[in-house]
Amino acid sequence: TGTTTSPSAATLRDRNNLVDLTSPFAKIRWNVRTSGFHQVRPVVRLADGTWLVGDRATGPSADFNQDDISIADVRWMKLDIARVVAVGNWIEHPDLSKVDEVGFADLIPGSGHGPGGYVNVARIEVYGKPVKR
């Protein structure tokens, strides 16, 4: 995300299934490298179209590191996806039983190439229960 001029986010989805992330064992595992003040945060899009960003973050790290984000430990805020900005107050107990998309956000604009600031996400794995669309 180093060359972006605004905060950025990317998500993935399964075309056949939603995912239920309500299990105490639900998690996101990713392999990321970050620089400067940049951090990678979990993002979900619920089946009703609501976007949420989590408070658990990975980074900074000079090399690629694997990190597990336990969904049960995450606090969520609404995400204005057009601006990739957290808005409002904490969402108490969001319904994560039907999640359409899962990904990451970097809430800081990039600073160009080099150590000034970026995130580099090499892999994302989502551990949850599939739910037919």
Side-chain angles (χ1 to χ4, degrees), residues 47-132:
D48 70 2
T50 301
W51 288 91
L52 303 175
V53 62
D55 69 337
R56 300 288 184 219
T58 300
S61 58
D63 197 2
F64 283 99
N65 290 301
Q66 181 176 292
D67 194 12
D68 287 355
I69 306 294
S70 175
I71 300 300
D73 294 335
V74 177
R75 291 178 64 197
W76 299 95
M77 281 190 159
K78 282 194 176 182
L79 179 68
D80 176 342
I81 195 63
R83 298 182 301 145
V84 190
V85 174
V87 294
N89 297 314
W90 295 111
I91 306 297
E92 298 297 327
H93 311 294
D95 182 4
L96 300 177
S97 64
K98 293 182 181 177
V99 175
D100 188 25
E101 300 178 33
V102 178
F104 71 91
D106 178 3
L107 300 178
I108 301 175
S111 64
H113 294 287
Y118 61 85
V119 304
N120 189 338
V121 179
R123 184 182 73 235
I124 297 176
E125 299 172 17
V126 178
Y127 295 83
K129 180 181 173 185
V131 177
K132 281 289 185 195

Side-chain angles (χ1 to χ4, degrees), residues 11 15-16 22 25-27 29 38 41 44 48 55 60 65 84-85 87-88 97 100 105 108-109 114-115 117 127 133:
T11 59
R15 70 179 76 200
N16 299 315
T22 60
F25 305 108
K27 68 181 174 183
R29 173 178 287 162
H38 293 256
R41 297 179 180 278
V44 295
D48 70 2
D55 69 337
N65 290 301
V84 190
V85 174
V87 294
S97 64
D100 188 25
I108 301 175
Y127 295 83
R133 290 186 179 276

Side-chain angles (χ1 to χ4, degrees), residues 26-40:
K27 68 181 174 183
I28 300 170
R29 173 178 287 162
W30 48 35
N31 194 346
V32 301
R33 176 177 62 178
T34 62
S35 176
F37 293 109
H38 293 256
Q39 296 180 319
V40 179

